[in-house]
Amino acid sequence: MRGPPMQPFRPLSGLVCAALLGGCAGGPAMSASERPAIGGLTAYAPGFDAVIASDAKIERLAEGFTWAEGPAWIEDGGYLLFTDVPQNRIHRWSEAEGLSVFLEPSGYDGPPTDVLREAGANGLHAEPSGTVLLADSGSRTLARLDPRTKEKTVLARAFDGRRFNSPNDVVRRSDGAIFFTDPPYGLKDLDESPVKELPFNGVYRLDTDGRVHLLDDGLTRPNGIALSPDERTLYVANSDPERAIWMAYALDAEGAVTSRRVFADAGDLVGDDAPGLPDGMTVAANGTVLATGPSGVLVFAPDGTRLGRIETGGAVANVTFGGDGHTLYLASDSFIARVRLKIAGPATSK
């Protein structure tokens, strides 16, 4: 849904940074007072002030990444995991210990190959048991990671006998069903890749019995994925500048799609002066959708009304709730940031 003309909030202080804030690998974390405030806020509708305070501080926590992605808050230990997809790494950040490399390689670990564009894992999703789901772009699989042992288990690698393109993002329903997207971003030459086996880019469901179901093969660039609090609606971003939209799929008890609609459209925001496209997202406990898009994180009411935008000064790839449940972590291009919200994340992120 297109929003009314922009009505800027009072902006936060300008972009300021120091090298590798939050500590380099194994280094000490910076204190909260040492972290600069970055970015700003833009309001599109009055409801935005119920989501975030006008003077909220967006903090840059750590930087120096090629493309930060897939943040997931790990409750057992109180730390953030996120991926650097081109560098084939998963990083760990915590308030007490700062930044470190958690897993390398995070995705593809075979012999040198020239068929991959992005060899690392992409989207992460923390499960209630303490394990983490990986949309493993480089290995072209959906996998599960045990953070304690760092062992990976492949859950699915193909549909209808043909290998996935490069799984991008993943979310789990409380009954164990897993939903994920499979665009061609991990492959060199994308849709024209000679190793691309599927003729489409899909949205899938993996059942607990291991069966993979195709939910949609009509999106050109299916990307971020999330569930509504009641788990009856599946949201999927389409990262196509020609069709920069988010879809909403109504789900039945088995996880099959019963209807679909365009939830929101950011076509009016796409442009060279607005870096980023519909990408990762998360949904708050009250149904507010926080979805990365042109120039930051777009905030939508449950009915699709565009409420506002949280801006870091560049493209934001993905977001997740963490900490006490009111903190939003942002994987923003080459750095990680966070901001305090008035609303809370889903119960599993608290």
Side-chain angles (χ1 to χ4, degrees):
M1 179 179 293
R2 298 180 185 272
M6 293 188 295
Q7 298 175 2
F9 267 17
R10 178 164 57 96
L12 302 179
S13 59
L15 288 169
V16 183
C17 70
L20 289 173
L21 296 177
C24 52
M30 296 188 75
S31 67
S33 62
E34 294 176 302
R35 297 184 194 120
I38 62 171
L41 307 174
T42 296
Y44 295 104
F48 192 45
D49 61 2
V51 174
I52 186 170
S54 62
D55 61 351
K57 178 184 178 182
I58 305 170
E59 298 177 278
R60 188 190 300 241
L61 302 176
E63 68 172 353
F65 316 109
T66 303
W67 181 246
E69 253 285 10
W73 181 258
I74 309 303
E75 184 66 27
D76 184 13
Y79 60 90
L80 186 75
L81 292 181
F82 61 95
T83 58
D84 187 336
V85 191
Q87 295 300 318
N88 204 357
R89 297 187 188 112
I90 294 177
H91 289 274
R92 181 186 190 274
W93 182 90
S94 73
E95 191 78 49
E97 299 176 6
L99 179 70
S100 61
V101 174
F102 183 80
L103 184 66
E104 185 178 13
S106 64
Y108 179 74
D109 61 356
T113 177
D114 61 359
V115 303
L116 294 178
R117 175 175 171 265
E118 295 177 337
N122 197 313
L124 307 176
H125 178 80
E127 298 184 280
S129 65
T131 52
V132 178
L133 295 173
L134 285 84
D136 195 337
S137 178
S139 297
R140 303 172 65 185
T141 63
L142 185 70
R144 175 173 282 128
L145 173 70
D146 185 337
R148 292 156 293 192
T149 64
K150 299 185 181 179
E151 292 184 0
K152 289 168 60 177
T153 302
V154 173
L155 303 178
R157 64 177 73 249
F159 172 71
D160 199 22
R162 290 173 287 183
R163 290 189 69 183
F164 295 133
N165 304 319
S166 53
N168 186 278
D169 205 1
V170 58
V171 67
R172 178 189 183 275
R173 201 166 65 169
S174 59
D175 63 0
I178 298 169
F179 300 84
F180 64 100
T181 57
D182 186 40
Y185 286 129
L187 303 177
K188 183 181 178 182
D189 301 321
L190 304 175
D191 286 328
E192 305 305 315
S193 171
V195 301
K196 189 177 190 291
E197 299 180 14
L198 290 160
F200 52 81
N201 302 310
V203 180
Y204 296 95
R205 184 186 80 244
L206 172 65
D207 288 342
T208 54
D209 62 6
R211 291 184 298 171
V212 178
H213 303 267
L214 177 66
L215 302 183
D216 194 351
D217 62 0
L219 296 179
T220 51
R221 293 291 185 269
N223 200 315
I225 193 166
L227 285 163
S228 62
D230 63 8
E231 301 186 326
R232 296 177 182 175
T233 302
L234 180 71
Y235 300 102
V236 176
N238 191 50
S239 297
D240 185 340
E242 301 301 320
R243 195 173 184 231
I245 61 169
W246 292 265
M247 293 294 296
Y249 302 86
L251 303 176
D252 64 16
E254 285 70 42
V257 174
T258 59
S259 65
R260 65 198 71 199
R261 61 187 171 87
V262 174
F263 172 73
D265 189 326
D268 62 310
L269 299 178
V270 174
D272 294 340
D273 60 343
L277 289 166
D279 201 329
M281 69 181 93
T282 190
V283 182
N286 68 356
T288 300
V289 177
L290 299 109
T292 66
S295 286
V297 181
L298 292 168
V299 179
F300 297 102
D303 65 359
T305 299
R306 189 190 298 171
L307 300 178
R309 185 168 61 192
I310 301 169
E311 301 152 3
T312 64
V316 182
N318 212 331
V319 291
T320 194
F321 281 94
D324 65 355
H326 286 269
T327 300
L328 186 72
Y329 288 88
L330 304 88
S332 182
D333 199 347
S334 64
F335 63 89
I336 295 294
R338 72 179 176 188
V339 65
R340 177 84 176 175
L341 302 184
K342 294 181 178 180
I343 58 176
T348 54
S349 67
K350 294 180 182 178

